[in-house]
Amino acid sequence: MNKLLSTSIKEVSQKIYDGAVRPSEICRASIKLTSLVKPLNAYITVTSDVAGKQASDADARQRQNSLLGQLDGIPIAIKDNYCVKEKPTTCASRMLANFSPAYDATVYERLRKQGVVLMGKTNLDEFAMGSGTVDSFYGPTKNLWGSEMLSEFYSCERDGPSVTTWQPHERDAWRIAGGSSGGSAVAVATGTCYAALGSDTGGSTRNPASYCGLIGLKPTYGLVSRYGLIPLLNSMDVPGILARTVDDSILILNAIAGTDPADPTTVQREYTPINLPETINVSNLRIGIPKEYGVQGISEEIQACWQEVSRHLEEAGASVVPVSLPHTDYSIVCYSVLNRCDVASNLACYDGIEYGHRADEWSSAHEMYKKTRSEGFNDVVKGRILVGNYFLLAENYQEYYVKAMKIRRLITQDFDVLWNNNIDLLLTPTTLTEAPIYNEFTQLDNQTQCLIQDHCTQPANMAGLPAINVPIKLSRKGLPLSLQLIAPLFHEQRLLTVAKWIEQTMRFPRLELKNSCLLE
């Protein structure tokens, strides 16, 4: 069972179809593993009751030879900003600590109909506002990599740099998981589920995937429904997928993508499921290397990874060419303005009357409203609301919001120029370094860290483009190093094909649970 929890969806699904293992056995082992890795704080809610019922139903379908597909009986997790009927959906905030929606998000509904087993709702930065999963009402999520649990419960499947051992004097020097979908990333990395949904507004799926050694897929805006995803920035939010392999991410994407009548922003055309060829040829591709992504602060090891993968692509016959995206440096500032404007608007409904936490204040409706919002949101959220309202004042609207929208158009046009000049994909860093130590990461405030962490990931959201994080190798300290691919709109097939080629070429070491971890 330890080996099964560490493998891919494709492999464990075959075991289920062959009758070699029951979905309920996998579910029980996954639930036990969630308790063993609980100190990492990946989950806000473990839905063992739901998982048990869904696994039992999958058992019955297995006995009747009527399994629903490759996802039937497969444990997955969902970031806690997606609605799941009658289960807590908190957005990692006190404001929604007691909120249980009356409906399922479309992405979960589609996965449920494929027979998945829901392990739980995962931790995030409050209302997805952060890049470390350190600003949650339920406490920070800790990265498996660099933790004492890594050497205690896991081993690498092939030789590589030795994993950093846990030193007593470093007990507070754990590594961040990345954010804001850090809980989903750690849930997959630890083996408690085979894949997880995150959300991606400025890099919130790809960033934790980078730090946790996972595939992190951000589809094209509009390809996947946002219905039931509690919004951060409506025009950039995209459901993201965290998985161990490219093939696993494709299975999840094929299950959730496509038009949704409940979400008018989804593309109004039939989705064609993605199938990758057995043999991948990259010799006909032109890969752009944008100079603006080689910014100050990029580590020598990330730079070396970037050059190494570029060299492998050239050796395989691809044309690797330098390109420019001249408005990249404005993207983060532009995003900061648009983000805060949407936050001020989207969070206005949390007043303690219709939605959310209600303060114990009865002197007047105004005082109750004021105290409710003061208690319900953390300082990061309150700061963004205040700044967003300032940007939206009549006297400031043109200077901030309208100007930011114009810059967004320029950023989008930068990408269009490259695609029109026959650039097929872009290869960039995802993050500038390996996963930072928590104490060092928190020396800078939330906004400053987002400016740093989102530099390479955010422009793709600005233009609505599909992008994917691919883990490359381990650093000298035994931590994941990753790169990002960006493709034109709706070119997921091309994006995932090249990601699979890189995955096969670089062979990032996979973790496997030790036999002593679970009693079989």
Side-chain angles (χ1 to χ4, degrees), residues 367-430:
E367 288 300 317
M368 187 275 288
Y369 178 81
K370 183 170 68 174
K371 188 175 181 181
T372 288
R373 289 172 66 82
S374 179
E375 291 178 354
F377 297 128
N378 69 10
D379 289 343
V380 172
V381 176
K382 284 184 283 191
R384 293 197 188 192
I385 291 171
L386 291 171
V387 173
N389 281 320
Y390 174 80
F391 290 155
L392 292 171
L393 289 173
E395 60 267 33
N396 296 330
Y397 183 78
Q398 291 288 333
E399 183 65 21
Y400 291 99
Y401 185 79
V402 173
K403 186 177 288 186
M405 289 296 289
K406 290 179 179 178
I407 294 172
R408 181 179 183 178
R409 170 52 56 191
L410 294 174
I411 293 165
T412 301
Q413 289 173 349
D414 283 349
F415 286 106
D416 290 341
V417 168
L418 296 187
W419 311 139
N420 291 334
N421 285 328
N422 299 317
I423 295 297
D424 296 301
L425 292 167
L426 298 176
L427 177 68
T428 79
T430 308

Side-chain angles (χ1 to χ4, degrees), residues 275-471:
N275 292 292
L276 299 189
E278 288 293 325
T279 302
I280 297 174
N281 179 13
V282 298
S283 63
N284 61 338
L285 295 176
R286 297 187 77 229
I287 310 294
I289 307 294
K291 65 179 183 181
E292 288 81 7
Y293 285 62
V295 295
Q296 183 178 2
I298 188 171
S299 75
E300 172 268 327
E301 289 187 284
I302 292 290
Q303 185 71 47
C305 276
W306 199 6
Q307 294 169 349
E308 181 179 357
V309 173
S310 298
R311 186 178 69 253
H312 282 301
L313 286 164
E314 284 187 307
E315 290 171 351
S319 298
V320 178
V321 297
V323 297
S324 178
L325 294 161
H327 293 95
T328 296
D329 290 343
Y330 300 106
S331 185
I332 287 295
V333 176
C334 175
Y335 172 70
S336 297
V337 173
L338 297 177
N339 177 293
R340 281 146 184 79
C341 292
D342 265 33
V343 165
S345 175
N346 286 329
L347 272 59
C349 64
Y350 301 116
D351 54 12
I353 298 174
E354 288 188 277
Y355 298 100
H357 163 78
R358 179 179 294 185
D360 186 16
E361 172 59 59
W362 304 99
S363 60
S364 70
H366 174 76
E367 288 300 317
M368 187 275 288
Y369 178 81
K370 183 170 68 174
K371 188 175 181 181
T372 288
R373 289 172 66 82
S374 179
E375 291 178 354
F377 297 128
N378 69 10
D379 289 343
V380 172
V381 176
K382 284 184 283 191
R384 293 197 188 192
I385 291 171
L386 291 171
V387 173
N389 281 320
Y390 174 80
F391 290 155
L392 292 171
L393 289 173
E395 60 267 33
N396 296 330
Y397 183 78
Q398 291 288 333
E399 183 65 21
Y400 291 99
Y401 185 79
V402 173
K403 186 177 288 186
M405 289 296 289
K406 290 179 179 178
I407 294 172
R408 181 179 183 178
R409 170 52 56 191
L410 294 174
I411 293 165
T412 301
Q413 289 173 349
D414 283 349
F415 286 106
D416 290 341
V417 168
L418 296 187
W419 311 139
N420 291 334
N421 285 328
N422 299 317
I423 295 297
D424 296 301
L425 292 167
L426 298 176
L427 177 68
T428 79
T430 308
T431 53
L432 302 180
T433 65
E434 64 192 8
I437 294 172
Y438 170 78
N439 289 341
E440 296 175 358
F441 182 84
T442 53
Q443 286 179 5
L444 299 177
D445 62 77
N446 176 284
Q447 178 178 345
T448 304
Q449 279 294 4
C450 287
L451 295 177
I452 297 169
Q453 298 294 325
D454 294 349
H455 180 86
C456 296
T457 54
Q458 198 288 314
N461 295 83
M462 197 71 74
L465 301 171
I468 191 169
N469 177 78
V470 184

Side-chain angles (χ1 to χ4, degrees), residues 152-197:
E152 182 178 355
F153 294 150
Y154 302 86
S155 60
C156 281
E157 70 174 18
R158 71 180 180 90
D159 294 336
S162 60
V163 173
T164 305
T165 55
W166 189 266
Q167 300 297 329
H169 68 275
E170 295 179 330
R171 194 160 293 277
D172 293 328
W174 48 271
R175 303 279 172 165
I176 68 163
S180 62
S181 307
S184 290
V186 173
V188 177
T190 53
T192 62
C193 61
Y194 290 86
L197 295 184

Side-chain angles (χ1 to χ4, degrees), residues 209-211 213-214 302 428-431 469-472 480-484:
S210 174
Y211 288 149
L214 300 170
I302 292 290
T428 79
T430 308
T431 53
N469 177 78
V470 184
I472 304 301
L481 302 172
S482 303
L483 294 177
Q484 174 183 228

